[in-house]
């Protein structure tokens, strides 16, 4: 969908990678395959730009089709366990797991629509860059 394309573009713009699409959402990582010193900052910036991009698209949808579109983002910072899933020769892929991801997954549905809900380690960054 166009909404997922908007989200993916912001993730890639800030150096992240989309790990998987889940229904009407996605899971993304920063620093998994290519680490940057400022990966947490990049994730915060991407999350805020995702909200801005979806807000612009939502205004178009509301005006053209009367559809309301709101985005929730859960954001967490921490260590993950990186692993390779599947046969390397048969479409294997890198993914990650662990408590950091589990907490981010719980933050997303708890976020108010139209906001980014960050864990405490990440909240200081969110405040620093505006929300």
């Amino acid at each position: 969908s166009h909404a997922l394309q908007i989200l993916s573009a912001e993730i890639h713009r800030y150096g992240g990678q989309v790990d998987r699409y889940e229904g009407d959402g996605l899971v993304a990582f920063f620093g998994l395959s290519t680490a940057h010193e400022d990966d947490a900052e990049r994730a915060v910036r991407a999350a805020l730009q995702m909200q801005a991009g979806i807000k612009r698209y939502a205004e178009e949808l509301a005006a053209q089709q009367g559809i309301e579109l709101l985005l929730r983002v859960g954001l967490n910072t921490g260590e993950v366990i990186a692993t390779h899933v599947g046969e390397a020769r048969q479409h294997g892929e890198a993914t990650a797991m662990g408590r950091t991801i589990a907490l981010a997954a719980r933050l997303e549905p708890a976020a108010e629509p139209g906001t980014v809900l960050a864990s405490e380690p990440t909240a200081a960054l969110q405040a620093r860059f505006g929300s």
Side-chain angles (χ1 to χ4, degrees):
S1 77
H2 187 62
L4 292 177
Q5 290 174 354
I6 292 168
L7 303 180
S8 298
E10 294 300 340
I11 290 163
H12 293 131
R13 182 159 75 112
Y14 286 95
Q17 67 184 72
V18 175
D19 183 63
R20 61 189 174 272
Y21 294 94
E22 296 182 340
D24 60 354
L26 57 82
V27 175
F29 297 112
F30 289 78
L32 184 61
S33 60
T34 304
H36 304 93
E37 198 169 295
D38 61 345
D39 278 315
E41 177 182 325
R42 289 167 179 258
V44 171
R45 290 184 183 275
L48 296 172
Q49 289 303 311
M50 288 162 59
Q51 283 292 5
I54 288 296
K55 184 177 180 183
R56 287 189 297 272
Y57 180 53
E59 289 170 359
E60 292 175 27
L61 281 179
Q64 295 170 1
Q65 301 175 36
I67 296 172
E68 182 181 34
L69 177 64
L70 295 167
L71 174 67
R72 300 172 196 256
V73 178
L75 186 60
N76 192 21
T77 305
E79 294 181 358
V80 298
I81 300 165
T83 186
H84 196 83
V85 177
E87 288 288 328
R89 289 171 280 141
Q90 297 177 352
H91 312 293
E93 59 185 33
T95 190
M97 58 189 74
R99 291 181 183 169
T100 299
I101 298 160
L103 178 55
R106 289 195 302 272
L107 289 169
E108 180 265 323
E112 289 294 322
T115 69
V116 175
L117 181 58
S119 63
E120 283 188 33
T122 314
L125 287 171
Q126 187 177 359
R128 185 170 144 201
F129 301 116
S131 56

